[in-house]
Amino acid sequence: MESDLIAWLRERLPPHESLRLGIGDDAAVVQIGAGTACVVTVDVVSDQVDFHLDRTDPRRVGHKALAASLSDLAAMASRPRSAVVALALPRRGGLELAKQLYEGMIPLAERYGFGIAGGDTHSWDAPLLISVTAIGDVTGRGPLVRGGGQPGDQILVTGTLGGSILGKHLDFEPRVREALLLHERYDLHAAIDLSDGLAIDLARVADESGCGAVIQLASVPISEAAASLASAKQNGRSALDHALGDGEDFELLLAVPPHAARQMLADQPLEVPLTRIGELIGQPGLWQMLPDGQRRELGRAGFEHTFLP
Ligand SMILES: [Mg+2]
């Protein structure tokens, strides 16, 4: 499992003075000069795993590859400054494909005001693979991290969740502006972008913060796509199951002290809704709040890359 590799790397990678924040968050924070730091993240997407090139416009694939890295910058409340792109292209049609992928990325760079510095290109007899490294600055309020939560913090999410496979997983807008606005205006303790599923990603924030988390399931904002997948009854999963377990919503999950949460929910300062779904608690683990006030343990549904021996 990917989490086993991360655990090994945490032990094995030597510490270095340049790493203000190393492995284990949405991005690293790297010291690049006296008093200057940047936020760095790298993502890989590939054909047949993250998209199906035979039935997807390559511009949407390019958009997704870059937007996924921008979403990790957003989770750190970092403003994108530049990106570099590595492409491993199938030999046949590779040049035209590469141009189309870039055509999908360039509008994001224009919209969020950063530069794409090109990158490296490789051709092979294998499916398309794209790796994007995104670099952002650290705003005056510092980076947001997963581990800053405290018991009593309220859990808020942007947007609606689940069912991204119906299209949002390709066409999502990374919550860059939303993260910067919220971080500037309110007292936020911790954040993550919902890339692997609400339950698993909330558990990551809770674990890193040394807390547990409890969710009010009735409060989880369910997307129309999750509802329509559930009504199609292909796999017996409810809309709530989709909202809890589906990956690639690319919304923000925030841990916020109660006074700030009250203000944010009253202000609703974003174009997408902000919804309170639960809170961090002292008791470790991931829990659901039952109507009678009892807690029941909740599974950590979500997506994780796995390996064979
Ligand atoms: Mg992330």
Side-chain angles (χ1 to χ4, degrees), residues 25-27 41 43 68 71-72 75 146 192-196 201 250:
D25 217 296
D26 290 289
T41 181
D43 250 304
S71 183
D72 278 328
R146 294 180 181 181
I192 192 170
D193 68 316
L194 295 176
S195 56
D196 295 341
D201 286 329
F250 294 108

Side-chain angles (χ1 to χ4, degrees), residues 213-214 279 281-283 287-290 292-297:
V214 57
E279 65 183 81
I281 55 175
Q283 182 182 11
W287 308 85
Q288 61 166 303
M289 180 70 80
L290 299 175
D292 64 0
Q294 303 279 342
R295 291 172 190 161
R296 180 191 296 157
E297 194 146 25

Side-chain angles (χ1 to χ4, degrees), residues 15 23 84 91 109 115 119 122 126 283:
I23 190 165
V84 287
R91 238 177 272 281
H122 173 90
Q283 182 182 11

